[in-house]
mmCIF file of all heavy atoms in Angstrom:
data_model
loop_
_atom_site.group_PDB
_atom_site.id
_atom_site.type_symbol
_atom_site.label_atom_id
_atom_site.label_comp_id
_atom_site.label_asym_id
_atom_site.label_seq_id
_atom_site.Cartn_x
_atom_site.Cartn_y
_atom_site.Cartn_z
ATOM 1 N N GLN A 1 33.828 129.250 110.773
ATOM 2 C CA GLN A 1 35.259 128.988 110.768
ATOM 3 C C GLN A 1 35.798 129.382 112.147
ATOM 4 O O GLN A 1 35.679 130.525 112.561
ATOM 5 C CB GLN A 1 35.963 129.806 109.678
ATOM 6 C CG GLN A 1 35.635 129.377 108.262
ATOM 7 C CD GLN A 1 36.322 128.077 107.865
ATOM 8 O OE1 GLN A 1 37.232 127.608 108.537
ATOM 9 N NE2 GLN A 1 35.869 127.484 106.768
ATOM 10 N N VAL A 2 36.378 128.422 112.853
ATOM 11 C CA VAL A 2 36.860 128.657 114.207
ATOM 12 C C VAL A 2 38.375 128.573 114.218
ATOM 13 O O VAL A 2 38.955 127.628 113.664
ATOM 14 C CB VAL A 2 36.261 127.633 115.194
ATOM 15 C CG1 VAL A 2 36.711 127.929 116.620
ATOM 16 C CG2 VAL A 2 34.738 127.635 115.107
ATOM 17 N N ALA A 3 39.013 129.536 114.852
ATOM 18 C CA ALA A 3 40.475 129.572 114.903
ATOM 19 C C ALA A 3 41.009 128.433 115.764
ATOM 20 O O ALA A 3 40.459 128.119 116.824
ATOM 21 C CB ALA A 3 40.937 130.914 115.462
ATOM 22 N N ILE A 4 42.075 127.805 115.283
ATOM 23 C CA ILE A 4 42.735 126.745 116.042
ATOM 24 C C ILE A 4 43.671 127.373 117.072
ATOM 25 O O ILE A 4 44.420 128.298 116.769
ATOM 26 C CB ILE A 4 43.512 125.810 115.108
ATOM 27 C CG1 ILE A 4 42.534 124.997 114.251
ATOM 28 C CG2 ILE A 4 44.418 124.875 115.890
ATOM 29 C CD1 ILE A 4 43.198 124.064 113.265
ATOM 30 N N PHE A 5 43.581 126.883 118.298
ATOM 31 C CA PHE A 5 44.456 127.364 119.364
ATOM 32 C C PHE A 5 45.689 126.471 119.427
ATOM 33 O O PHE A 5 45.588 125.251 119.517
ATOM 34 C CB PHE A 5 43.705 127.339 120.701
ATOM 35 C CG PHE A 5 44.523 127.777 121.876
ATOM 36 C CD1 PHE A 5 44.720 129.120 122.125
ATOM 37 C CD2 PHE A 5 45.101 126.841 122.725
ATOM 38 C CE1 PHE A 5 45.478 129.536 123.211
ATOM 39 C CE2 PHE A 5 45.855 127.249 123.812
ATOM 40 C CZ PHE A 5 46.050 128.601 124.059
ATOM 41 N N ASP A 6 46.843 127.078 119.391
ATOM 42 C CA ASP A 6 48.099 126.326 119.384
ATOM 43 C C ASP A 6 48.444 125.887 120.803
ATOM 44 O O ASP A 6 48.887 126.686 121.628
ATOM 45 C CB ASP A 6 49.220 127.203 118.814
ATOM 46 C CG ASP A 6 50.523 126.405 118.646
ATOM 47 O OD1 ASP A 6 50.447 125.160 118.664
ATOM 48 O OD2 ASP A 6 51.583 127.040 118.486
ATOM 49 N N GLY A 7 48.181 124.625 121.076
ATOM 50 C CA GLY A 7 48.476 124.095 122.397
ATOM 51 C C GLY A 7 48.404 122.587 122.387
ATOM 52 O O GLY A 7 47.816 121.980 121.478
ATOM 53 N N PRO A 8 48.995 121.934 123.368
ATOM 54 C CA PRO A 8 49.008 120.469 123.388
ATOM 55 C C PRO A 8 47.645 119.876 123.707
ATOM 56 O O PRO A 8 46.825 120.487 124.380
ATOM 57 C CB PRO A 8 50.020 120.157 124.505
ATOM 58 C CG PRO A 8 49.909 121.335 125.428
ATOM 59 C CD PRO A 8 49.679 122.516 124.552
ATOM 60 N N ILE A 9 47.414 118.678 123.189
ATOM 61 C CA ILE A 9 46.215 117.898 123.529
ATOM 62 C C ILE A 9 46.695 116.757 124.426
ATOM 63 O O ILE A 9 47.362 115.835 123.974
ATOM 64 C CB ILE A 9 45.519 117.355 122.274
ATOM 65 C CG1 ILE A 9 45.066 118.515 121.382
ATOM 66 C CG2 ILE A 9 44.326 116.478 122.655
ATOM 67 C CD1 ILE A 9 44.493 118.070 120.043
ATOM 68 N N HIS A 10 46.378 116.837 125.682
ATOM 69 C CA HIS A 10 46.895 115.873 126.650
ATOM 70 C C HIS A 10 46.212 114.513 126.494
ATOM 71 O O HIS A 10 45.037 114.428 126.114
ATOM 72 C CB HIS A 10 46.715 116.406 128.071
ATOM 73 C CG HIS A 10 47.448 117.703 128.308
ATOM 74 N ND1 HIS A 10 48.817 117.785 128.351
ATOM 75 C CD2 HIS A 10 46.986 118.974 128.478
ATOM 76 C CE1 HIS A 10 49.183 119.040 128.560
ATOM 77 N NE2 HIS A 10 48.081 119.794 128.641
ATOM 78 N N TRP A 11 46.956 113.474 126.800
ATOM 79 C CA TRP A 11 46.455 112.119 126.571
ATOM 80 C C TRP A 11 45.220 111.807 127.396
ATOM 81 O O TRP A 11 44.319 111.092 126.932
ATOM 82 C CB TRP A 11 47.571 111.100 126.858
ATOM 83 C CG TRP A 11 48.007 111.054 128.300
ATOM 84 C CD1 TRP A 11 49.025 111.751 128.868
ATOM 85 C CD2 TRP A 11 47.416 110.265 129.338
ATOM 86 N NE1 TRP A 11 49.123 111.476 130.201
ATOM 87 C CE2 TRP A 11 48.148 110.549 130.516
ATOM 88 C CE3 TRP A 11 46.371 109.346 129.394
ATOM 89 C CZ2 TRP A 11 47.838 109.963 131.745
ATOM 90 C CZ3 TRP A 11 46.068 108.751 130.614
ATOM 91 C CH2 TRP A 11 46.790 109.059 131.780
ATOM 92 N N HIS A 12 45.159 112.336 128.631
ATOM 93 C CA HIS A 12 43.984 112.020 129.455
ATOM 94 C C HIS A 12 42.736 112.748 128.940
ATOM 95 O O HIS A 12 41.615 112.302 129.163
ATOM 96 C CB HIS A 12 44.234 112.334 130.934
ATOM 97 C CG HIS A 12 44.524 113.764 131.243
ATOM 98 N ND1 HIS A 12 45.736 114.351 130.962
ATOM 99 C CD2 HIS A 12 43.760 114.724 131.820
ATOM 100 C CE1 HIS A 12 45.711 115.616 131.356
ATOM 101 N NE2 HIS A 12 44.523 115.871 131.881
ATOM 102 N N TRP A 13 42.911 113.872 128.237
ATOM 103 C CA TRP A 13 41.774 114.507 127.570
ATOM 104 C C TRP A 13 41.251 113.594 126.462
ATOM 105 O O TRP A 13 40.041 113.385 126.327
ATOM 106 C CB TRP A 13 42.175 115.840 126.957
ATOM 107 C CG TRP A 13 42.619 116.899 127.903
ATOM 108 C CD1 TRP A 13 42.640 116.834 129.270
ATOM 109 C CD2 TRP A 13 43.120 118.182 127.553
ATOM 110 N NE1 TRP A 13 43.124 117.999 129.795
ATOM 111 C CE2 TRP A 13 43.431 118.857 128.754
ATOM 112 C CE3 TRP A 13 43.358 118.835 126.342
ATOM 113 C CZ2 TRP A 13 43.948 120.145 128.788
ATOM 114 C CZ3 TRP A 13 43.869 120.126 126.364
ATOM 115 C CH2 TRP A 13 44.162 120.771 127.581
ATOM 116 N N GLN A 14 42.187 113.068 125.672
ATOM 117 C CA GLN A 14 41.802 112.214 124.553
ATOM 118 C C GLN A 14 41.128 110.937 125.053
ATOM 119 O O GLN A 14 40.137 110.472 124.463
ATOM 120 C CB GLN A 14 43.032 111.879 123.717
ATOM 121 C CG GLN A 14 42.747 111.319 122.336
ATOM 122 C CD GLN A 14 42.096 112.328 121.401
ATOM 123 O OE1 GLN A 14 40.867 112.399 121.340
ATOM 124 N NE2 GLN A 14 42.912 113.094 120.680
ATOM 125 N N ASN A 15 41.638 110.382 126.132
ATOM 126 C CA ASN A 15 41.011 109.173 126.706
ATOM 127 C C ASN A 15 39.591 109.461 127.173
ATOM 128 O O ASN A 15 38.678 108.650 126.986
ATOM 129 C CB ASN A 15 41.853 108.640 127.870
ATOM 130 C CG ASN A 15 43.140 107.980 127.418
ATOM 131 O OD1 ASN A 15 43.287 107.660 126.234
ATOM 132 N ND2 ASN A 15 44.074 107.782 128.342
ATOM 133 N N GLU A 16 39.428 110.622 127.787
ATOM 134 C CA GLU A 16 38.085 111.008 128.262
ATOM 135 C C GLU A 16 37.135 111.175 127.081
ATOM 136 O O GLU A 16 35.977 110.742 127.126
ATOM 137 C CB GLU A 16 38.166 112.306 129.062
ATOM 138 C CG GLU A 16 36.885 112.700 129.779
ATOM 139 C CD GLU A 16 36.571 111.825 130.973
ATOM 140 O OE1 GLU A 16 37.502 111.137 131.474
ATOM 141 O OE2 GLU A 16 35.402 111.808 131.416
ATOM 142 N N ALA A 17 37.625 111.803 126.017
ATOM 143 C CA ALA A 17 36.794 111.997 124.826
ATOM 144 C C ALA A 17 36.419 110.655 124.205
ATOM 145 O O ALA A 17 35.257 110.430 123.825
ATOM 146 C CB ALA A 17 37.534 112.864 123.808
ATOM 147 N N ASN A 18 37.384 109.720 124.087
ATOM 148 C CA ASN A 18 37.103 108.405 123.502
ATOM 149 C C ASN A 18 36.061 107.652 124.316
ATOM 150 O O ASN A 18 35.205 106.953 123.758
ATOM 151 C CB ASN A 18 38.394 107.591 123.426
ATOM 152 C CG ASN A 18 39.344 108.112 122.364
ATOM 153 O OD1 ASN A 18 38.906 108.719 121.385
ATOM 154 N ND2 ASN A 18 40.648 107.894 122.554
ATOM 155 N N SER A 19 36.121 107.788 125.635
ATOM 156 C CA SER A 19 35.169 107.070 126.494
ATOM 157 C C SER A 19 33.749 107.605 126.346
ATOM 158 O O SER A 19 32.789 106.941 126.708
ATOM 159 C CB SER A 19 35.606 107.166 127.958
ATOM 160 O OG SER A 19 35.450 108.486 128.454
ATOM 161 N N LYS A 20 33.629 108.818 125.788
ATOM 162 C CA LYS A 20 32.319 109.445 125.640
ATOM 163 C C LYS A 20 31.895 109.559 124.174
ATOM 164 O O LYS A 20 30.956 110.283 123.835
ATOM 165 C CB LYS A 20 32.332 110.828 126.295
ATOM 166 C CG LYS A 20 32.523 110.745 127.805
ATOM 167 C CD LYS A 20 32.649 112.105 128.463
ATOM 168 C CE LYS A 20 32.796 111.937 129.986
ATOM 169 N NZ LYS A 20 32.975 113.247 130.669
ATOM 170 N N GLY A 21 32.579 108.822 123.293
ATOM 171 C CA GLY A 21 32.164 108.748 121.898
ATOM 172 C C GLY A 21 32.708 109.832 121.002
ATOM 173 O O GLY A 21 32.155 110.092 119.927
ATOM 174 N N PHE A 22 33.809 110.468 121.394
ATOM 175 C CA PHE A 22 34.376 111.548 120.595
ATOM 176 C C PHE A 22 35.889 111.367 120.438
ATOM 177 O O PHE A 22 36.517 110.606 121.164
ATOM 178 C CB PHE A 22 34.117 112.910 121.252
ATOM 179 C CG PHE A 22 32.674 113.306 121.295
ATOM 180 C CD1 PHE A 22 31.881 112.974 122.389
ATOM 181 C CD2 PHE A 22 32.097 114.012 120.252
ATOM 182 C CE1 PHE A 22 30.552 113.353 122.441
ATOM 183 C CE2 PHE A 22 30.770 114.390 120.291
ATOM 184 C CZ PHE A 22 29.992 114.051 121.391
ATOM 185 N N THR A 23 36.440 112.125 119.509
ATOM 186 C CA THR A 23 37.881 112.245 119.335
ATOM 187 C C THR A 23 38.209 113.726 119.288
ATOM 188 O O THR A 23 37.516 114.495 118.608
ATOM 189 C CB THR A 23 38.349 111.576 118.031
ATOM 190 O OG1 THR A 23 37.995 110.195 118.050
ATOM 191 C CG2 THR A 23 39.864 111.705 117.877
ATOM 192 N N ILE A 24 39.243 114.141 120.022
ATOM 193 C CA ILE A 24 39.628 115.552 120.001
ATOM 194 C C ILE A 24 40.352 115.846 118.689
ATOM 195 O O ILE A 24 41.395 115.272 118.404
ATOM 196 C CB ILE A 24 40.521 115.907 121.193
ATOM 197 C CG1 ILE A 24 39.795 115.637 122.516
ATOM 198 C CG2 ILE A 24 40.947 117.375 121.126
ATOM 199 C CD1 ILE A 24 40.646 115.870 123.755
ATOM 200 N N GLU A 25 39.758 116.731 117.905
ATOM 201 C CA GLU A 25 40.336 117.095 116.610
ATOM 202 C C GLU A 25 41.366 118.207 116.764
ATOM 203 O O GLU A 25 42.399 118.214 116.097
ATOM 204 C CB GLU A 25 39.223 117.546 115.654
ATOM 205 C CG GLU A 25 39.649 117.725 114.219
ATOM 206 C CD GLU A 25 39.793 116.405 113.489
ATOM 207 O OE1 GLU A 25 39.424 115.346 114.053
ATOM 208 O OE2 GLU A 25 40.269 116.427 112.339
ATOM 209 N N ALA A 26 41.069 119.172 117.629
ATOM 210 C CA ALA A 26 41.971 120.301 117.821
ATOM 211 C C ALA A 26 41.511 121.112 119.026
ATOM 212 O O ALA A 26 40.384 120.961 119.502
ATOM 213 C CB ALA A 26 42.002 121.192 116.576
ATOM 214 N N ARG A 27 42.402 121.947 119.502
ATOM 215 C CA ARG A 27 42.015 122.969 120.470
ATOM 216 C C ARG A 27 41.631 124.207 119.667
ATOM 217 O O ARG A 27 42.318 124.575 118.700
ATOM 218 C CB ARG A 27 43.168 123.272 121.430
ATOM 219 C CG ARG A 27 43.540 122.085 122.298
ATOM 220 C CD ARG A 27 44.702 122.380 123.223
ATOM 221 N NE ARG A 27 44.334 123.327 124.286
ATOM 222 C CZ ARG A 27 45.126 123.635 125.313
ATOM 223 N NH1 ARG A 27 46.343 123.075 125.404
ATOM 224 N NH2 ARG A 27 44.736 124.486 126.230
ATOM 225 N N VAL A 28 40.538 124.848 120.034
ATOM 226 C CA VAL A 28 40.033 125.944 119.207
ATOM 227 C C VAL A 28 39.665 127.155 120.055
ATOM 228 O O VAL A 28 39.387 127.038 121.251
ATOM 229 C CB VAL A 28 38.790 125.500 118.397
ATOM 230 C CG1 VAL A 28 39.152 124.433 117.380
ATOM 231 C CG2 VAL A 28 37.678 125.012 119.313
ATOM 232 N N ALA A 29 39.665 128.304 119.397
ATOM 233 C CA ALA A 29 39.207 129.578 119.955
ATOM 234 C C ALA A 29 40.124 130.086 121.072
ATOM 235 O O ALA A 29 40.675 131.171 120.994
ATOM 236 C CB ALA A 29 37.771 129.487 120.439
ATOM 237 N N ASP A 30 40.260 129.316 122.142
ATOM 238 C CA ASP A 30 41.120 129.680 123.260
ATOM 239 C C ASP A 30 41.523 128.402 123.979
ATOM 240 O O ASP A 30 41.197 127.302 123.544
ATOM 241 C CB ASP A 30 40.417 130.665 124.205
ATOM 242 C CG ASP A 30 39.050 130.156 124.656
ATOM 243 O OD1 ASP A 30 38.924 128.946 124.956
ATOM 244 O OD2 ASP A 30 38.093 130.958 124.703
ATOM 245 N N ARG A 31 42.226 128.529 125.084
ATOM 246 C CA ARG A 31 42.726 127.337 125.767
ATOM 247 C C ARG A 31 41.641 126.555 126.496
ATOM 248 O O ARG A 31 41.923 125.490 127.049
ATOM 249 C CB ARG A 31 43.835 127.731 126.743
ATOM 250 C CG ARG A 31 43.414 128.655 127.876
ATOM 251 C CD ARG A 31 44.653 129.212 128.571
ATOM 252 N NE ARG A 31 44.330 130.082 129.697
ATOM 253 C CZ ARG A 31 44.289 129.686 130.962
ATOM 254 N NH1 ARG A 31 44.546 128.421 131.250
ATOM 255 N NH2 ARG A 31 44.001 130.540 131.926
ATOM 256 N N TYR A 32 40.418 127.068 126.479
ATOM 257 C CA TYR A 32 39.342 126.406 127.202
ATOM 258 C C TYR A 32 38.425 125.578 126.300
ATOM 259 O O TYR A 32 37.513 124.930 126.798
ATOM 260 C CB TYR A 32 38.492 127.446 127.941
ATOM 261 C CG TYR A 32 39.270 128.301 128.915
ATOM 262 C CD1 TYR A 32 39.539 129.641 128.629
ATOM 263 C CD2 TYR A 32 39.745 127.773 130.107
ATOM 264 C CE1 TYR A 32 40.258 130.432 129.522
ATOM 265 C CE2 TYR A 32 40.458 128.552 131.006
ATOM 266 C CZ TYR A 32 40.718 129.879 130.703
ATOM 267 O OH TYR A 32 41.433 130.650 131.584
ATOM 268 N N HIS A 33 38.599 125.610 124.980
ATOM 269 C CA HIS A 33 37.663 124.954 124.065
ATOM 270 C C HIS A 33 38.351 123.918 123.184
ATOM 271 O O HIS A 33 39.531 124.055 122.838
ATOM 272 C CB HIS A 33 36.956 125.982 123.184
ATOM 273 C CG HIS A 33 35.959 126.813 123.925
ATOM 274 N ND1 HIS A 33 36.312 127.951 124.599
ATOM 275 C CD2 HIS A 33 34.616 126.648 124.103
ATOM 276 C CE1 HIS A 33 35.227 128.471 125.163
ATOM 277 N NE2 HIS A 33 34.198 127.710 124.877
ATOM 278 N N LEU A 34 37.561 122.903 122.801
ATOM 279 C CA LEU A 34 38.031 121.815 121.951
ATOM 280 C C LEU A 34 37.071 121.618 120.784
ATOM 281 O O LEU A 34 35.881 121.904 120.882
ATOM 282 C CB LEU A 34 38.106 120.503 122.747
ATOM 283 C CG LEU A 34 38.964 120.482 124.015
ATOM 284 C CD1 LEU A 34 38.702 119.190 124.781
ATOM 285 C CD2 LEU A 34 40.437 120.619 123.667
ATOM 286 N N ALA A 35 37.612 121.103 119.690
ATOM 287 C CA ALA A 35 36.782 120.632 118.581
ATOM 288 C C ALA A 35 36.707 119.119 118.702
ATOM 289 O O ALA A 35 37.715 118.426 118.561
ATOM 290 C CB ALA A 35 37.381 121.044 117.248
ATOM 291 N N LEU A 36 35.507 118.615 118.993
ATOM 292 C CA LEU A 36 35.320 117.182 119.165
ATOM 293 C C LEU A 36 34.691 116.590 117.924
ATOM 294 O O LEU A 36 33.709 117.124 117.397
ATOM 295 C CB LEU A 36 34.413 116.903 120.373
ATOM 296 C CG LEU A 36 34.887 117.403 121.745
ATOM 297 C CD1 LEU A 36 33.896 116.969 122.816
ATOM 298 C CD2 LEU A 36 36.279 116.891 122.064
ATOM 299 N N ARG A 37 35.244 115.483 117.441
ATOM 300 C CA ARG A 37 34.671 114.777 116.301
ATOM 301 C C ARG A 37 33.867 113.594 116.812
ATOM 302 O O ARG A 37 34.374 112.745 117.547
ATOM 303 C CB ARG A 37 35.743 114.303 115.334
ATOM 304 C CG ARG A 37 35.158 113.693 114.049
ATOM 305 C CD ARG A 37 36.220 113.405 113.023
ATOM 306 N NE ARG A 37 36.893 114.603 112.549
ATOM 307 C CZ ARG A 37 36.383 115.432 111.639
ATOM 308 N NH1 ARG A 37 35.186 115.202 111.116
ATOM 309 N NH2 ARG A 37 37.092 116.482 111.241
ATOM 310 N N CYS A 38 32.584 113.549 116.439
ATOM 311 C CA CYS A 38 31.690 112.481 116.898
ATOM 312 C C CYS A 38 32.058 111.171 116.195
ATOM 313 O O CYS A 38 32.190 111.122 114.972
ATOM 314 C CB CYS A 38 30.249 112.859 116.598
ATOM 315 S SG CYS A 38 29.042 111.600 117.047
ATOM 316 N N GLN A 39 32.192 110.122 116.951
ATOM 317 C CA GLN A 39 32.531 108.819 116.386
ATOM 318 C C GLN A 39 31.330 108.152 115.721
ATOM 319 O O GLN A 39 31.488 107.171 115.000
ATOM 320 C CB GLN A 39 33.105 107.923 117.491
ATOM 321 C CG GLN A 39 34.425 108.430 118.051
ATOM 322 C CD GLN A 39 34.909 107.645 119.253
ATOM 323 O OE1 GLN A 39 34.236 106.709 119.708
ATOM 324 N NE2 GLN A 39 36.071 108.012 119.787
ATOM 325 N N ALA A 40 30.133 108.706 115.939
ATOM 326 C CA ALA A 40 28.922 108.141 115.327
ATOM 327 C C ALA A 40 28.621 108.774 113.974
ATOM 328 O O ALA A 40 28.312 108.077 113.008
ATOM 329 C CB ALA A 40 27.731 108.308 116.263
ATOM 330 N N CYS A 41 28.708 110.116 113.891
ATOM 331 C CA CYS A 41 28.329 110.796 112.645
ATOM 332 C C CYS A 41 29.499 111.492 111.959
ATOM 333 O O CYS A 41 29.333 112.014 110.858
ATOM 334 C CB CYS A 41 27.223 111.815 112.922
ATOM 335 S SG CYS A 41 27.799 113.301 113.798
ATOM 336 N N ASP A 42 30.650 111.559 112.599
ATOM 337 C CA ASP A 42 31.856 112.180 112.061
ATOM 338 C C ASP A 42 31.751 113.700 112.019
ATOM 339 O O ASP A 42 32.584 114.374 111.404
ATOM 340 C CB ASP A 42 32.182 111.653 110.663
ATOM 341 C CG ASP A 42 33.656 111.844 110.299
ATOM 342 O OD1 ASP A 42 34.513 111.604 111.173
ATOM 343 O OD2 ASP A 42 33.939 112.255 109.161
ATOM 344 N N GLY A 43 30.734 114.259 112.679
ATOM 345 C CA GLY A 43 30.585 115.714 112.713
ATOM 346 C C GLY A 43 31.417 116.337 113.815
ATOM 347 O O GLY A 43 31.843 115.667 114.761
ATOM 348 N N LEU A 44 31.656 117.645 113.697
ATOM 349 C CA LEU A 44 32.455 118.381 114.668
ATOM 350 C C LEU A 44 31.577 119.240 115.562
ATOM 351 O O LEU A 44 30.582 119.821 115.109
ATOM 352 C CB LEU A 44 33.476 119.277 113.959
ATOM 353 C CG LEU A 44 34.677 118.574 113.306
ATOM 354 C CD1 LEU A 44 35.496 119.581 112.515
ATOM 355 C CD2 LEU A 44 35.541 117.894 114.357
ATOM 356 N N THR A 45 31.961 119.338 116.828
ATOM 357 C CA THR A 45 31.258 120.156 117.797
ATOM 358 C C THR A 45 32.271 120.918 118.639
ATOM 359 O O THR A 45 33.269 120.354 119.079
ATOM 360 C CB THR A 45 30.393 119.286 118.739
ATOM 361 O OG1 THR A 45 29.422 118.571 117.969
ATOM 362 C CG2 THR A 45 29.677 120.137 119.777
ATOM 363 N N LYS A 46 32.006 122.199 118.853
ATOM 364 C CA LYS A 46 32.850 123.002 119.734
ATOM 365 C C LYS A 46 32.349 122.837 121.160
ATOM 366 O O LYS A 46 31.176 123.092 121.449
ATOM 367 C CB LYS A 46 32.798 124.473 119.313
ATOM 368 C CG LYS A 46 33.627 125.397 120.196
ATOM 369 C CD LYS A 46 33.438 126.854 119.768
ATOM 370 C CE LYS A 46 34.139 127.802 120.728
ATOM 371 N NZ LYS A 46 33.880 129.225 120.374
ATOM 372 N N THR A 47 33.256 122.419 122.060
ATOM 373 C CA THR A 47 32.870 122.114 123.433
ATOM 374 C C THR A 47 33.923 122.649 124.401
ATOM 375 O O THR A 47 35.122 122.608 124.107
ATOM 376 C CB THR A 47 32.734 120.594 123.639
ATOM 377 O OG1 THR A 47 31.810 120.073 122.685
ATOM 378 C CG2 THR A 47 32.240 120.266 125.043
ATOM 379 N N ARG A 48 33.489 123.112 125.543
ATOM 380 C CA ARG A 48 34.421 123.532 126.578
ATOM 381 C C ARG A 48 35.141 122.319 127.156
ATOM 382 O O ARG A 48 34.541 121.243 127.319
ATOM 383 C CB ARG A 48 33.696 124.281 127.696
ATOM 384 C CG ARG A 48 33.217 125.670 127.312
ATOM 385 C CD ARG A 48 32.611 126.385 128.512
ATOM 386 N NE ARG A 48 33.614 126.655 129.539
ATOM 387 C CZ ARG A 48 34.369 127.754 129.592
ATOM 388 N NH1 ARG A 48 34.230 128.691 128.669
ATOM 389 N NH2 ARG A 48 35.256 127.923 130.549
#
């Protein structure tokens, strides 16, 4: 269980994620990490 970080998800982050096969689900842990949802398997991954 990872804590959600309260902060904006900028559009250029989301565009970058979409171009690489992911969707940003949330900002997590701190301002440096994201929860990415894989567009292939629908699984979540914590990524800087």
Side-chain angles (χ1 to χ4, degrees):
Q1 291 285 347
V2 183
I4 291 179
F5 178 80
D6 186 17
I9 299 174
H10 299 291
W11 65 267
H12 61 285
W13 297 356
Q14 196 67 269
N15 287 345
E16 189 72 19
N18 289 333
S19 70
K20 295 175 178 178
F22 294 91
T23 301
I24 300 176
E25 190 77 8
R27 296 179 70 172
V28 294
D30 53 41
R31 63 193 182 96
Y32 302 108
H33 289 86
L34 303 170
L36 300 183
R37 186 172 296 281
C38 178
Q39 295 173 359
C41 73
D42 202 42
L44 287 173
T45 299
K46 179 184 174 184
T47 304
R48 288 185 66 89

